[in-house]
């Protein structure tokens, strides 16, 4: 057998130490999990009915309770997205154009399986293999893991925000943001400081420390909610007893503010995520790394834009015989970042596809709606806008699929995974004593930390001509310093 053949496969199992060391599953035959027909030398007959990734129906034979619970989890149903879209007037009715576009676009990434049969493949994508949408492949041979691997499983899906924040991997993006946006660089209270991994990451904590199996399998989930509506979720004070020795841990602060207001570093906000499809019917998101336009706008990779030409927002570029629209104005200038890497520098000062690293707190849109939600919280801009499902270039153009975009704020309640014990909001901006930091919320310096302008605080990532942003976020803005006495 050639050198790369690491496993001997035979009727009673696999001679793989990683598989054999699994005391429960290692004693079973291949067909007990994968199906197919044992005892035949005919290839077609042997593989008939075989499942490459065993699904929940297989696991239920031994794990009935967990499988039954997981059938209603947000990981399985993916229902967390629907309440937000429905509230904005999106029609999920069977046979509607909006439903068809949601199914074609959103489930390309936000699924527990590559086939769309979420429940049937969910178990394996957490306990033995990397999720298909993250590349697939076994994590540790055929060994089943009771606890999913933080990197290969959890952050394989929850990577762009959670992983990058938790591991402290956003510094290059943060540097580009500050380089491209003069207003951000001038007003950033974090001053371009190096972003640190979350303190829990520094303490070697993995995801399951705060997100136990019961939550992941769906315990506490009720119909029509997002992840914040799960009852019994782990809270900061479950582990952190609050003492009276910290001058900021007053009853008023603790009753009205989420912990992240004082303990988060800059985090990602995203804007204008549009769905598109090519003439051949391939679906993609137009600010995703799979967007052909994104690659084309980097002239060192694809010389699609004419040298020396400045393009307005809405200009098109041809790629592989199809025309795609530029969502933001762009030119051919190249500006190296601090690390020497060359990135596209559009005329607007923005990097196409880049998220915005910022910090903004405001009125929590979940307050009064979600039991126990604090009145003030950190807010993150989400990528929805009125043209998200329009297909502006290829395919049938159907505007108005999200008819009431202003029904919910686009700056939404967030719980970033980038906790630090001390942040600039707890420091005096003028170098005085700790209590002088009160001006960061209750005085003249409040505008550096709080969402005061839904468009201006996006530092150019939101076009000035976006009236729906103003209407949608009117209820979460802080337009004056907070009074010292705030009713919980």
């Amino acid at each position: 057998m050639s050198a790369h053949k690491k496993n001997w496969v035979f009727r009673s199992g696999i001679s793989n130490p990683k598989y054999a060391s699994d005391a429960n599953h290692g004693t079973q035959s291949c067909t007990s999990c994968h199906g197919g027909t044992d005892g035949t030398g005919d290839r077609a007959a042997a593989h008939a009915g075989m499942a490459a990734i065993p699904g929940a129906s297989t696991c239920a034979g031994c794990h009935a309770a967990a499988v039954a619970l997981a059938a209603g989890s947000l990981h399985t149903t993916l229902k967390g997205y629907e309440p937000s879209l429905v509230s904005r007037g999106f029609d999920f009715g069977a046979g509607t154009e909006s439903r068809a576009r949601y199914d074609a676009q959103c489930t390309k990434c936000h699924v527990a399986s590559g086939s769309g049969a979420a429940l049937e493949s969910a178990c394996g994508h957490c306990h033995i293999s990397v999720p298909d949408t993250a590349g697939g492949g076994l994590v540790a041979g055929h060994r089943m893991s009771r606890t999913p691997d933080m990197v290969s499983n959890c952050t394989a899906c929850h990577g762009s925000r959670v992983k990058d924040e938790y591991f402290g991997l956003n510094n290059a993006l943060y540097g580009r943001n500050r380089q491209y946006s003069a207003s951000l660089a001038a007003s950033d209270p974090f001053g371009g400081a190096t972003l640190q991994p979350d303190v829990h990451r520094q303490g070697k904590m993995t995801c399951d420390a705060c997100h136990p199996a019961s939550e992941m399998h769906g315990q506490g989930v009720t119909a029509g909610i997002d992840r914040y509506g799960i009852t019994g979720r782990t809270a900061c004070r479950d582990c952190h007893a609050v003492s009276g020795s910290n001058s900021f841990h007053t009853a008023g602060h603790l009753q009205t503010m989420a912990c992240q207001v004082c303990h988060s570093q800059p985090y990602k906000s995203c804007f204008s995520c549009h769905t598109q499809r090519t003439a051949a019917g391939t679906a993609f998101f137009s600010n995703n790394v799979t967007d052909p336009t994104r690659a084309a706008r980097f002239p060192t990779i694809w010389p699609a834009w004419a040298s020396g030409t400045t393009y307005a927002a809405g200009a098109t570029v041809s790629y592989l015989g199809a025309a795609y629209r530029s969502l933001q104005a762009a030119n051919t200038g190249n500006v190296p970042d601090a690390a020497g890497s060359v990135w596209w520098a559009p005329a607007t000062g923005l990097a196409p596809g880049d998220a915005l690293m910022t910090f903004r707190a405001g009125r929590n849109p979940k307050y009064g709606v979600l039991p126990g939600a604090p009145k003030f919280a950190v807010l993150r801009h989400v990528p929805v806008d009125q043209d998200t499902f329009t297909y502006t270039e290829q395919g049938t153009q159907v505007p108005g699929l999200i008819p009431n975009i202003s029904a919910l704020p686009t700056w939404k309640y967030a719980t970033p995974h980038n906790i630090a014990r001390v942040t600039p909001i707890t420091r005096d901006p003028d170098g005085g004593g700790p209590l002088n930091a009160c001006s960061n919320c209750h005085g003249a310096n409040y505008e550096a930390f709080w969402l005061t302008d839904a468009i201006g605080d996006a530092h150019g990532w939101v076009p000035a001509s976006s009236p729906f942003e103003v209407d949608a976020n009117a209820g979460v803005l802080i337009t004056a310093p907070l009074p010292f006495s705030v009713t919980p």
Side-chain angles (χ1 to χ4, degrees), residues 26-326:
T27 60
Q28 301 180 38
S29 67
C30 302
T31 56
S32 64
C33 289
H34 290 282
T37 304
D38 199 359
T40 177
D42 183 89
R43 182 178 182 273
H47 291 84
M50 190 189 80
I53 301 176
S57 58
T58 299
C59 301
C62 298
H63 306 282
V67 168
L69 182 61
S73 76
L74 294 181
H75 276 118
T76 298
T77 66
L78 307 172
K79 293 293 186 181
Y81 301 98
E82 294 188 15
S84 293
L85 288 170
V86 168
S87 295
R88 293 183 169 104
F90 194 82
D91 186 358
F92 276 94
T96 61
E97 181 66 22
S98 52
R99 178 75 206 211
R101 295 190 177 194
Y102 175 86
D103 289 342
Q105 306 285 166
C106 299
T107 56
K108 287 179 63 65
C109 297
H110 301 289
V111 291
S113 76
S115 66
L119 173 61
E120 189 55 28
S121 297
C123 304
H125 284 172
C126 287
H127 294 287
I128 186 171
S129 67
V130 177
D132 282 352
T133 52
L138 298 172
V139 174
H142 269 75
R143 181 167 55 195
M144 304 285 178
S145 298
R146 182 180 183 85
T147 302
D149 182 83
M150 179 168 64
V151 174
S152 297
N153 297 115
C154 303
T155 60
C157 290
H158 301 280
S160 62
R161 291 191 304 197
V162 174
K163 179 181 180 179
D164 289 351
E165 291 168 5
Y166 196 63
F167 284 71
L169 301 178
N170 281 321
N171 282 292
L173 172 61
Y174 185 35
R176 293 200 302 275
N177 284 177
R178 289 173 52 83
Q179 179 181 4
Y180 296 143
S181 175
S183 66
L184 174 62
S187 62
D188 180 10
F190 288 78
T194 299
L195 304 178
Q196 300 299 316
D198 190 294
V199 294
H200 303 92
R201 166 63 182 168
Q202 295 180 50
K204 310 299 183 184
M205 291 174 64
T206 54
C207 303
D208 62 298
C210 293
H211 302 286
S214 58
E215 178 187 340
M216 296 299 95
H217 284 161
Q219 184 171 308
V221 171
T222 56
I225 64 166
D226 59 18
R227 65 188 182 278
Y228 291 115
I230 297 174
T231 60
R233 291 190 311 117
T234 300
C236 299
R237 284 193 240 177
D238 290 345
C239 296
H240 299 281
V242 180
S243 68
S245 60
N246 188 312
S247 59
F248 291 111
H249 287 169
T250 64
H253 284 157
L254 296 175
Q255 290 174 8
T256 60
M257 292 200 311
C259 299
Q260 287 84 357
V261 172
C262 288
H263 295 288
S264 282
Q265 304 170 77
Y267 49 85
K268 285 181 180 175
S269 283
C270 300
F271 304 83
S272 300
C273 194
H274 293 77
T275 57
Q276 300 283 7
R277 67 182 178 192
T278 66
T282 302
F284 64 91
F285 279 104
S286 58
N287 68 351
N288 189 272
V289 292
T290 58
D291 170 17
T293 311
R294 177 183 169 96
R297 286 192 297 244
F298 289 77
T300 56
I301 302 174
W302 298 105
W305 295 97
S307 176
T309 301
T310 298
Y311 294 86
T316 59
V317 62
S318 178
Y319 177 79
L320 298 181
Y324 297 92
R325 181 169 67 95
S326 172

Side-chain angles (χ1 to χ4, degrees), residues 318-351:
S318 178
Y319 177 79
L320 298 181
Y324 297 92
R325 181 169 67 95
S326 172
L327 298 181
Q328 297 168 332
N331 62 25
T332 56
N334 288 323
V335 179
D337 64 16
S341 299
V342 174
W343 291 87
W344 186 261
T348 57
L350 307 182

Side-chain angles (χ1 to χ4, degrees), residues 357-369:
M357 295 295 300
T358 189
F359 175 97
R360 287 290 148 183
R363 299 183 186 277
N364 185 358
K366 294 283 188 182
Y367 177 69
V369 178

